Amino acid sequence: LVRDTLTEVDVIVFCLPADQKVGPGDRFIASELAALMRGRRPTPVVAAVTKADKVSRQELADQLLSVAALGDWADIVPVSAVGGYQVDELADVLVSRLPVGPMLYPDGELTDEPEAVMVAELVREAALEGVRDELPHSLAVVVDEIVPREGGRKDDPLVDVRVNLFVERDSQKAIIIGKGGARLRDVGTRARQGIERLLGSRVYLDLHVKVAKDWQRDPKQLGRLGF
């Protein structure tokens, strides 16, 4: 199973700790990986010498020589998670060994999620800022509409975005709105900034907070809220 899995990947990282001598187990793995590097579709193997912070420079150099003697590795990179020593370098090496994949989205698009879904997530994140303990899963956000403002300027269009925020209790509604509506205004300001970047246009964001009692336990309400 392991061999079959390794034949399906684009690059392999072989980790060996810097503070332990190369042993029989390491040699066995190295021999298995050598067969993959010689296969019909050779798979590059990068040897990562970990825990570089645990040894002296001379000991690290000696370990790198021992690892190099184990096989014809595509790269050998000493790293340490403590302080992030050469972690970025290892990531760069791995990326450089990856083949160019097919385009998943058209130029200019970063996701295949509908705009309404991303708008709802931006509003939800803004609404939960600072109150996740009070509203961890009780907040549902539904975008009612995203429409260009009629009669707007062609060189500076305005988009009307209307969003409903559903909570389960009146007390939760009060948390979202805040004293005198101050918190809801702040939610709208922060969410609107992200939505404008997403849509590439000025946005008028209209937020409404509603109570849908125990919506998480009501199949009909779950359906209406898009779950």
Side-chain angles (χ1 to χ4, degrees), residues 160-189:
D160 288 315
V161 178
R162 295 180 175 84
V163 180
N164 293 316
L165 295 84
F166 293 92
V167 292
E168 294 187 303
R169 296 185 294 279
D170 287 328
S171 59
Q172 295 172 337
K173 181 178 179 179
I175 292 173
I176 294 292
I177 295 174
K179 187 176 182 180
R183 190 170 185 284
L184 186 61
R185 287 193 295 271
D186 182 57
V187 168
T189 298

PDB file of all heavy atoms in Angstrom, residues 160-189:
ATOM      1  N   ASP A 160     -25.918  47.201  -4.603  1.00  0.00           N
ATOM      2  CA  ASP A 160     -26.699  46.997  -3.384  1.00  0.00           C
ATOM      3  C   ASP A 160     -26.581  45.544  -2.940  1.00  0.00           C
ATOM      4  O   ASP A 160     -26.879  44.619  -3.710  1.00  0.00           O
ATOM      5  CB  ASP A 160     -28.169  47.330  -3.633  1.00  0.00           C
ATOM      6  CG  ASP A 160     -28.408  48.825  -3.779  1.00  0.00           C
ATOM      7  OD1 ASP A 160     -27.863  49.584  -2.961  1.00  0.00           O
ATOM      8  OD2 ASP A 160     -29.129  49.223  -4.705  1.00  0.00           O
ATOM      9  N   VAL A 161     -26.136  45.342  -1.715  1.00  0.00           N
ATOM     10  CA  VAL A 161     -25.995  43.994  -1.153  1.00  0.00           C
ATOM     11  C   VAL A 161     -26.852  43.926   0.105  1.00  0.00           C
ATOM     12  O   VAL A 161     -26.620  44.670   1.065  1.00  0.00           O
ATOM     13  CB  VAL A 161     -24.523  43.683  -0.818  1.00  0.00           C
ATOM     14  CG1 VAL A 161     -24.415  42.288  -0.196  1.00  0.00           C
ATOM     15  CG2 VAL A 161     -23.650  43.776  -2.061  1.00  0.00           C
ATOM     16  N   ARG A 162     -27.845  43.056   0.083  1.00  0.00           N
ATOM     17  CA  ARG A 162     -28.746  42.914   1.230  1.00  0.00           C
ATOM     18  C   ARG A 162     -28.538  41.540   1.857  1.00  0.00           C
ATOM     19  O   ARG A 162     -28.608  40.516   1.176  1.00  0.00           O
ATOM     20  CB  ARG A 162     -30.200  43.113   0.789  1.00  0.00           C
ATOM     21  CG  ARG A 162     -30.462  44.543   0.305  1.00  0.00           C
ATOM     22  CD  ARG A 162     -31.895  44.785  -0.137  1.00  0.00           C
ATOM     23  NE  ARG A 162     -32.081  46.193  -0.473  1.00  0.00           N
ATOM     24  CZ  ARG A 162     -31.781  46.717  -1.665  1.00  0.00           C
ATOM     25  NH1 ARG A 162     -31.311  45.937  -2.627  1.00  0.00           N
ATOM     26  NH2 ARG A 162     -31.963  48.003  -1.893  1.00  0.00           N
ATOM     27  N   VAL A 163     -28.292  41.565   3.156  1.00  0.00           N
ATOM     28  CA  VAL A 163     -27.903  40.342   3.864  1.00  0.00           C
ATOM     29  C   VAL A 163     -28.721  40.204   5.148  1.00  0.00           C
ATOM     30  O   VAL A 163     -28.911  41.175   5.886  1.00  0.00           O
ATOM     31  CB  VAL A 163     -26.396  40.366   4.211  1.00  0.00           C
ATOM     32  CG1 VAL A 163     -25.998  39.087   4.956  1.00  0.00           C
ATOM     33  CG2 VAL A 163     -25.551  40.534   2.955  1.00  0.00           C
ATOM     34  N   ASN A 164     -29.193  38.990   5.413  1.00  0.00           N
ATOM     35  CA  ASN A 164     -29.889  38.684   6.659  1.00  0.00           C
ATOM     36  C   ASN A 164     -28.994  37.827   7.550  1.00  0.00           C
ATOM     37  O   ASN A 164     -28.402  36.839   7.084  1.00  0.00           O
ATOM     38  CB  ASN A 164     -31.191  37.931   6.386  1.00  0.00           C
ATOM     39  CG  ASN A 164     -32.211  38.796   5.666  1.00  0.00           C
ATOM     40  OD1 ASN A 164     -32.401  39.956   6.015  1.00  0.00           O
ATOM     41  ND2 ASN A 164     -32.871  38.242   4.666  1.00  0.00           N
ATOM     42  N   LEU A 165     -28.907  38.212   8.815  1.00  0.00           N
ATOM     43  CA  LEU A 165     -28.162  37.439   9.811  1.00  0.00           C
ATOM     44  C   LEU A 165     -29.172  36.803  10.756  1.00  0.00           C
ATOM     45  O   LEU A 165     -29.982  37.512  11.367  1.00  0.00           O
ATOM     46  CB  LEU A 165     -27.195  38.323  10.602  1.00  0.00           C
ATOM     47  CG  LEU A 165     -26.037  38.970   9.826  1.00  0.00           C
ATOM     48  CD1 LEU A 165     -26.477  40.264   9.153  1.00  0.00           C
ATOM     49  CD2 LEU A 165     -24.867  39.257  10.763  1.00  0.00           C
ATOM     50  N   PHE A 166     -29.142  35.489  10.869  1.00  0.00           N
ATOM     51  CA  PHE A 166     -30.098  34.766  11.696  1.00  0.00           C
ATOM     52  C   PHE A 166     -29.413  34.216  12.941  1.00  0.00           C
ATOM     53  O   PHE A 166     -28.354  33.569  12.851  1.00  0.00           O
ATOM     54  CB  PHE A 166     -30.727  33.612  10.912  1.00  0.00           C
ATOM     55  CG  PHE A 166     -31.612  34.054   9.784  1.00  0.00           C
ATOM     56  CD1 PHE A 166     -31.096  34.220   8.505  1.00  0.00           C
ATOM     57  CD2 PHE A 166     -32.962  34.308   9.996  1.00  0.00           C
ATOM     58  CE1 PHE A 166     -31.901  34.618   7.458  1.00  0.00           C
ATOM     59  CE2 PHE A 166     -33.785  34.712   8.956  1.00  0.00           C
ATOM     60  CZ  PHE A 166     -33.256  34.878   7.672  1.00  0.00           C
ATOM     61  N   VAL A 167     -30.020  34.474  14.096  1.00  0.00           N
ATOM     62  CA  VAL A 167     -29.555  33.902  15.360  1.00  0.00           C
ATOM     63  C   VAL A 167     -30.720  33.133  15.974  1.00  0.00           C
ATOM     64  O   VAL A 167     -31.853  33.174  15.458  1.00  0.00           O
ATOM     65  CB  VAL A 167     -29.055  34.997  16.323  1.00  0.00           C
ATOM     66  CG1 VAL A 167     -27.782  35.637  15.788  1.00  0.00           C
ATOM     67  CG2 VAL A 167     -30.132  36.062  16.537  1.00  0.00           C
ATOM     68  N   GLU A 168     -30.474  32.455  17.073  1.00  0.00           N
ATOM     69  CA  GLU A 168     -31.498  31.582  17.650  1.00  0.00           C
ATOM     70  C   GLU A 168     -32.283  32.231  18.793  1.00  0.00           C
ATOM     71  O   GLU A 168     -33.376  31.785  19.116  1.00  0.00           O
ATOM     72  CB  GLU A 168     -30.858  30.289  18.153  1.00  0.00           C
ATOM     73  CG  GLU A 168     -30.292  29.426  17.038  1.00  0.00           C
ATOM     74  CD  GLU A 168     -29.806  28.084  17.538  1.00  0.00           C
ATOM     75  OE1 GLU A 168     -28.942  28.054  18.427  1.00  0.00           O
ATOM     76  OE2 GLU A 168     -30.313  27.065  17.045  1.00  0.00           O
ATOM     77  N   ARG A 169     -31.703  33.280  19.409  1.00  0.00           N
ATOM     78  CA  ARG A 169     -32.379  33.889  20.557  1.00  0.00           C
ATOM     79  C   ARG A 169     -32.269  35.408  20.515  1.00  0.00           C
ATOM     80  O   ARG A 169     -31.344  35.959  19.901  1.00  0.00           O
ATOM     81  CB  ARG A 169     -31.771  33.354  21.868  1.00  0.00           C
ATOM     82  CG  ARG A 169     -31.973  31.859  22.073  1.00  0.00           C
ATOM     83  CD  ARG A 169     -31.457  31.417  23.427  1.00  0.00           C
ATOM     84  NE  ARG A 169     -30.006  31.547  23.533  1.00  0.00           N
ATOM     85  CZ  ARG A 169     -29.140  30.654  23.049  1.00  0.00           C
ATOM     86  NH1 ARG A 169     -29.585  29.566  22.427  1.00  0.00           N
ATOM     87  NH2 ARG A 169     -27.854  30.835  23.198  1.00  0.00           N
ATOM     88  N   ASP A 170     -33.178  36.076  21.190  1.00  0.00           N
ATOM     89  CA  ASP A 170     -33.170  37.539  21.251  1.00  0.00           C
ATOM     90  C   ASP A 170     -31.870  38.054  21.878  1.00  0.00           C
ATOM     91  O   ASP A 170     -31.358  39.110  21.495  1.00  0.00           O
ATOM     92  CB  ASP A 170     -34.372  38.055  22.046  1.00  0.00           C
ATOM     93  CG  ASP A 170     -35.684  37.915  21.277  1.00  0.00           C
ATOM     94  OD1 ASP A 170     -35.651  38.011  20.032  1.00  0.00           O
ATOM     95  OD2 ASP A 170     -36.730  37.697  21.917  1.00  0.00           O
ATOM     96  N   SER A 171     -31.366  37.308  22.880  1.00  0.00           N
ATOM     97  CA  SER A 171     -30.126  37.742  23.538  1.00  0.00           C
ATOM     98  C   SER A 171     -28.954  37.745  22.559  1.00  0.00           C
ATOM     99  O   SER A 171     -28.075  38.606  22.631  1.00  0.00           O
ATOM    100  CB  SER A 171     -29.811  36.827  24.728  1.00  0.00           C
ATOM    101  OG  SER A 171     -29.657  35.478  24.309  1.00  0.00           O
ATOM    102  N   GLN A 172     -28.964  36.785  21.638  1.00  0.00           N
ATOM    103  CA  GLN A 172     -27.910  36.746  20.621  1.00  0.00           C
ATOM    104  C   GLN A 172     -28.073  37.889  19.622  1.00  0.00           C
ATOM    105  O   GLN A 172     -27.090  38.452  19.140  1.00  0.00           O
ATOM    106  CB  GLN A 172     -27.938  35.399  19.910  1.00  0.00           C
ATOM    107  CG  GLN A 172     -27.593  34.224  20.807  1.00  0.00           C
ATOM    108  CD  GLN A 172     -27.820  32.887  20.133  1.00  0.00           C
ATOM    109  OE1 GLN A 172     -28.604  32.775  19.192  1.00  0.00           O
ATOM    110  NE2 GLN A 172     -27.151  31.851  20.629  1.00  0.00           N
ATOM    111  N   LYS A 173     -29.316  38.231  19.310  1.00  0.00           N
ATOM    112  CA  LYS A 173     -29.577  39.366  18.424  1.00  0.00           C
ATOM    113  C   LYS A 173     -29.015  40.641  19.026  1.00  0.00           C
ATOM    114  O   LYS A 173     -28.396  41.470  18.326  1.00  0.00           O
ATOM    115  CB  LYS A 173     -31.082  39.499  18.193  1.00  0.00           C
ATOM    116  CG  LYS A 173     -31.468  40.649  17.266  1.00  0.00           C
ATOM    117  CD  LYS A 173     -32.975  40.683  17.041  1.00  0.00           C
ATOM    118  CE  LYS A 173     -33.371  41.846  16.138  1.00  0.00           C
ATOM    119  NZ  LYS A 173     -34.831  41.876  15.892  1.00  0.00           N
ATOM    120  N   ALA A 174     -29.185  40.806  20.340  1.00  0.00           N
ATOM    121  CA  ALA A 174     -28.672  41.991  21.017  1.00  0.00           C
ATOM    122  C   ALA A 174     -27.148  42.056  20.957  1.00  0.00           C
ATOM    123  O   ALA A 174     -26.564  43.135  20.834  1.00  0.00           O
ATOM    124  CB  ALA A 174     -29.145  42.000  22.472  1.00  0.00           C
ATOM    125  N   ILE A 175     -26.500  40.889  21.026  1.00  0.00           N
ATOM    126  CA  ILE A 175     -25.031  40.853  20.939  1.00  0.00           C
ATOM    127  C   ILE A 175     -24.573  41.332  19.578  1.00  0.00           C
ATOM    128  O   ILE A 175     -23.620  42.120  19.464  1.00  0.00           O
ATOM    129  CB  ILE A 175     -24.524  39.420  21.209  1.00  0.00           C
ATOM    130  CG1 ILE A 175     -24.770  39.030  22.664  1.00  0.00           C
ATOM    131  CG2 ILE A 175     -23.038  39.306  20.870  1.00  0.00           C
ATOM    132  CD1 ILE A 175     -24.460  37.573  22.966  1.00  0.00           C
ATOM    133  N   ILE A 176     -25.237  40.865  18.508  1.00  0.00           N
ATOM    134  CA  ILE A 176     -24.843  41.243  17.152  1.00  0.00           C
ATOM    135  C   ILE A 176     -25.059  42.738  16.918  1.00  0.00           C
ATOM    136  O   ILE A 176     -24.201  43.435  16.358  1.00  0.00           O
ATOM    137  CB  ILE A 176     -25.645  40.443  16.107  1.00  0.00           C
ATOM    138  CG1 ILE A 176     -25.285  38.956  16.170  1.00  0.00           C
ATOM    139  CG2 ILE A 176     -25.390  40.982  14.696  1.00  0.00           C
ATOM    140  CD1 ILE A 176     -23.884  38.634  15.724  1.00  0.00           C
ATOM    141  N   ILE A 177     -26.202  43.258  17.383  1.00  0.00           N
ATOM    142  CA  ILE A 177     -26.536  44.655  17.120  1.00  0.00           C
ATOM    143  C   ILE A 177     -25.716  45.599  17.982  1.00  0.00           C
ATOM    144  O   ILE A 177     -25.243  46.636  17.503  1.00  0.00           O
ATOM    145  CB  ILE A 177     -28.045  44.893  17.336  1.00  0.00           C
ATOM    146  CG1 ILE A 177     -28.845  44.098  16.290  1.00  0.00           C
ATOM    147  CG2 ILE A 177     -28.385  46.377  17.249  1.00  0.00           C
ATOM    148  CD1 ILE A 177     -30.341  44.153  16.493  1.00  0.00           C
ATOM    149  N   GLY A 178     -25.539  45.249  19.248  1.00  0.00           N
ATOM    150  CA  GLY A 178     -24.789  46.110  20.148  1.00  0.00           C
ATOM    151  C   GLY A 178     -25.613  47.288  20.636  1.00  0.00           C
ATOM    152  O   GLY A 178     -26.725  47.538  20.158  1.00  0.00           O
ATOM    153  N   LYS A 179     -25.048  48.053  21.553  1.00  0.00           N
ATOM    154  CA  LYS A 179     -25.756  49.188  22.144  1.00  0.00           C
ATOM    155  C   LYS A 179     -26.001  50.250  21.091  1.00  0.00           C
ATOM    156  O   LYS A 179     -25.065  50.761  20.470  1.00  0.00           O
ATOM    157  CB  LYS A 179     -24.951  49.755  23.301  1.00  0.00           C
ATOM    158  CG  LYS A 179     -25.696  50.840  24.070  1.00  0.00           C
ATOM    159  CD  LYS A 179     -24.914  51.303  25.274  1.00  0.00           C
ATOM    160  CE  LYS A 179     -25.691  52.362  26.061  1.00  0.00           C
ATOM    161  NZ  LYS A 179     -24.926  52.829  27.256  1.00  0.00           N
ATOM    162  N   GLY A 180     -27.274  50.581  20.894  1.00  0.00           N
ATOM    163  CA  GLY A 180     -27.624  51.595  19.924  1.00  0.00           C
ATOM    164  C   GLY A 180     -27.257  51.243  18.494  1.00  0.00           C
ATOM    165  O   GLY A 180     -27.170  52.126  17.632  1.00  0.00           O
ATOM    166  N   GLY A 181     -27.045  49.945  18.220  1.00  0.00           N
ATOM    167  CA  GLY A 181     -26.699  49.511  16.867  1.00  0.00           C
ATOM    168  C   GLY A 181     -25.249  49.729  16.505  1.00  0.00           C
ATOM    169  O   GLY A 181     -24.852  49.521  15.347  1.00  0.00           O
ATOM    170  N   ALA A 182     -24.414  50.096  17.500  1.00  0.00           N
ATOM    171  CA  ALA A 182     -23.018  50.441  17.220  1.00  0.00           C
ATOM    172  C   ALA A 182     -22.232  49.255  16.684  1.00  0.00           C
ATOM    173  O   ALA A 182     -21.437  49.395  15.744  1.00  0.00           O
ATOM    174  CB  ALA A 182     -22.352  50.977  18.486  1.00  0.00           C
ATOM    175  N   ARG A 183     -22.474  48.089  17.258  1.00  0.00           N
ATOM    176  CA  ARG A 183     -21.687  46.928  16.814  1.00  0.00           C
ATOM    177  C   ARG A 183     -22.087  46.503  15.401  1.00  0.00           C
ATOM    178  O   ARG A 183     -21.234  46.129  14.595  1.00  0.00           O
ATOM    179  CB  ARG A 183     -21.850  45.755  17.785  1.00  0.00           C
ATOM    180  CG  ARG A 183     -20.870  44.645  17.486  1.00  0.00           C
ATOM    181  CD  ARG A 183     -20.802  43.569  18.542  1.00  0.00           C
ATOM    182  NE  ARG A 183     -19.737  42.669  18.165  1.00  0.00           N
ATOM    183  CZ  ARG A 183     -19.836  41.762  17.203  1.00  0.00           C
ATOM    184  NH1 ARG A 183     -20.973  41.650  16.539  1.00  0.00           N
ATOM    185  NH2 ARG A 183     -18.819  40.999  16.897  1.00  0.00           N
ATOM    186  N   LEU A 184     -23.367  46.546  15.087  1.00  0.00           N
ATOM    187  CA  LEU A 184     -23.800  46.165  13.743  1.00  0.00           C
ATOM    188  C   LEU A 184     -23.230  47.126  12.699  1.00  0.00           C
ATOM    189  O   LEU A 184     -22.861  46.704  11.601  1.00  0.00           O
ATOM    190  CB  LEU A 184     -25.327  46.148  13.665  1.00  0.00           C
ATOM    191  CG  LEU A 184     -25.917  45.633  12.350  1.00  0.00           C
ATOM    192  CD1 LEU A 184     -25.498  44.177  12.113  1.00  0.00           C
ATOM    193  CD2 LEU A 184     -27.441  45.743  12.359  1.00  0.00           C
ATOM    194  N   ARG A 185     -23.133  48.412  13.043  1.00  0.00           N
ATOM    195  CA  ARG A 185     -22.521  49.364  12.114  1.00  0.00           C
ATOM    196  C   ARG A 185     -21.054  49.027  11.880  1.00  0.00           C
ATOM    197  O   ARG A 185     -20.553  49.116  10.757  1.00  0.00           O
ATOM    198  CB  ARG A 185     -22.671  50.790  12.648  1.00  0.00           C
ATOM    199  CG  ARG A 185     -24.084  51.354  12.549  1.00  0.00           C
ATOM    200  CD  ARG A 185     -24.111  52.855  12.782  1.00  0.00           C
ATOM    201  NE  ARG A 185     -23.721  53.189  14.141  1.00  0.00           N
ATOM    202  CZ  ARG A 185     -24.566  53.266  15.166  1.00  0.00           C
ATOM    203  NH1 ARG A 185     -25.869  53.008  14.988  1.00  0.00           N
ATOM    204  NH2 ARG A 185     -24.143  53.601  16.378  1.00  0.00           N
ATOM    205  N   ASP A 186     -20.381  48.622  12.956  1.00  0.00           N
ATOM    206  CA  ASP A 186     -18.971  48.246  12.822  1.00  0.00           C
ATOM    207  C   ASP A 186     -18.832  46.981  11.987  1.00  0.00           C
ATOM    208  O   ASP A 186     -17.921  46.876  11.152  1.00  0.00           O
ATOM    209  CB  ASP A 186     -18.359  48.024  14.215  1.00  0.00           C
ATOM    210  CG  ASP A 186     -16.887  47.685  14.150  1.00  0.00           C
ATOM    211  OD1 ASP A 186     -16.123  48.477  13.583  1.00  0.00           O
ATOM    212  OD2 ASP A 186     -16.506  46.603  14.646  1.00  0.00           O
ATOM    213  N   VAL A 187     -19.732  46.014  12.184  1.00  0.00           N
ATOM    214  CA  VAL A 187     -19.736  44.792  11.369  1.00  0.00           C
ATOM    215  C   VAL A 187     -19.910  45.165   9.900  1.00  0.00           C
ATOM    216  O   VAL A 187     -19.204  44.661   9.018  1.00  0.00           O
ATOM    217  CB  VAL A 187     -20.860  43.835  11.818  1.00  0.00           C
ATOM    218  CG1 VAL A 187     -21.050  42.708  10.803  1.00  0.00           C
ATOM    219  CG2 VAL A 187     -20.553  43.256  13.188  1.00  0.00           C
ATOM    220  N   GLY A 188     -20.844  46.049   9.608  1.00  0.00           N
ATOM    221  CA  GLY A 188     -21.091  46.461   8.234  1.00  0.00           C
ATOM    222  C   GLY A 188     -19.889  47.142   7.611  1.00  0.00           C
ATOM    223  O   GLY A 188     -19.554  46.892   6.439  1.00  0.00           O
ATOM    224  N   THR A 189     -19.213  47.988   8.374  1.00  0.00           N
ATOM    225  CA  THR A 189     -18.042  48.698   7.849  1.00  0.00           C
ATOM    226  C   THR A 189     -16.935  47.727   7.467  1.00  0.00           C
ATOM    227  O   THR A 189     -16.357  47.801   6.378  1.00  0.00           O
ATOM    228  CB  THR A 189     -17.514  49.703   8.894  1.00  0.00           C
ATOM    229  OG1 THR A 189     -18.532  50.679   9.146  1.00  0.00           O
ATOM    230  CG2 THR A 189     -16.266  50.403   8.375  1.00  0.00           C
TER     231      THR A 189
END
